[in-house]
Structures are given as C-alpha cells and as structure tokens.
Amino acid sequence: MKRQSCDETSGDSDFGIKKKSTLLDILMERFKDDLPYGYINEELASILTAGHHTLTCFLSSILYELSKHEDIQQKLFEEVSSIIENVNCISTQNINALLYMECVVKEGLRMYSPVPFVERILDCDTEW
C-alpha cells in the first residue's frame, strides 16, 4: 500500500491553520488600555506553567501505568501502529480514530486527576 503524504490528505489535516484568536491575542485586545503589558505577560506565564505542570504529571502517571501493564501497552502500540503505518504525518482524522488510546487517557484521568479534589468537614457551625 502506498504511503500517504501530508500533501495528499485532501485537507483533512488542520494543524497549523489559525482559525481563532489565541489567548494572547484576546488578552492583548481586551486589556490593552487597562493593564500594563507586564501584567498580561505574568498571567500568561502562570497559565502556561500550570498547564505544563499538570500535563507532565499526567503523562508521567500514564507512562508508569503502561509500564506495569504490558498487555495494555501492546494493544495501544498495535492500535497506533495500524493507524499511522500508511501516513507520513498525523492528522486530526488519524487522532480521532485512536479509540483505545482515548479509553486509556480517560482511565488515566480517572485514576490520576490533574486537579485534586479536597473535601472539607466543618468542626463547628458557621454564621454568615
């Protein structure tokens, strides 16, 4: 079977096409007169750092679990290999076809929630 290149995907790959404004564009437009540039820069740094940290912790947990369960790792490897073996680049359509990977990711999110839930119990009555 002939390998499919990125140019031959007939437009099913939408990576790299700017459809909407970025977060930076929205913040700059909304707050350009009200807030100094440094403030917007600090807020973006906080958002990006938080997103990076939660993603790396989650991926580390998933990789750890996959290392413990070789049967799941093998099944996931076979699914990814079967989807991408005939293409040179991965498109949105290819990613949507990874159903078992979606299940693995969702189970990982269930087991290792990126945002912990803290439950509190009151020791005494509270008045407002």
Side-chain angles (χ1 to χ4, degrees):
M1 179 176 256
K2 182 185 173 209
R3 291 182 66 94
Q4 186 180 23
S5 72
C6 290
D7 297 334
E8 299 171 355
T9 57
S10 67
D12 67 327
S13 176
D14 58 358
F15 292 125
I17 298 172
K18 186 174 179 182
K19 295 180 181 179
K20 297 180 182 178
S21 297
T22 64
L23 178 61
L24 179 60
D25 293 336
I26 293 169
L27 287 173
M28 292 299 287
E29 182 62 33
R30 171 66 176 90
F31 298 111
K32 66 182 174 185
D33 298 327
D34 300 335
L35 298 173
Y37 177 76
Y39 181 79
I40 295 173
N41 195 20
E42 289 173 9
E43 289 298 314
L44 281 175
S46 297
I47 291 169
L48 293 175
T49 302
H52 175 75
H53 178 71
T54 55
L55 179 64
T56 54
C57 289
F58 171 70
L59 288 177
S60 297
S61 302
I62 288 292
L63 292 174
Y64 172 70
E65 286 296 326
L66 285 173
S67 72
K68 291 186 347 184
H69 301 281
E70 291 182 26
D71 55 332
I72 295 172
Q73 184 183 119
Q74 184 61 36
K75 189 172 179 181
L76 186 60
F77 175 78
E78 290 169 2
E79 181 189 54
V80 171
S81 297
S82 69
I83 297 294
I84 65 168
E85 74 178 335
N86 295 321
V87 295
N88 289 335
C89 64
I90 299 175
S91 67
T92 305
Q93 183 180 11
N94 299 132
I95 292 172
N96 290 338
L98 298 171
L99 300 177
Y100 191 69
M101 180 176 287
E102 181 180 354
C103 293
V104 169
V105 169
K106 286 182 178 179
E107 181 65 10
L109 286 170
R110 184 190 69 79
M111 292 172 58
Y112 300 100
S113 176
V115 180
F117 179 79
V118 178
E119 188 173 332
R120 295 188 175 112
I121 298 173
L122 295 175
D123 293 336
C124 57
D125 291 339
T126 309
E127 291 183 26
W128 287 85

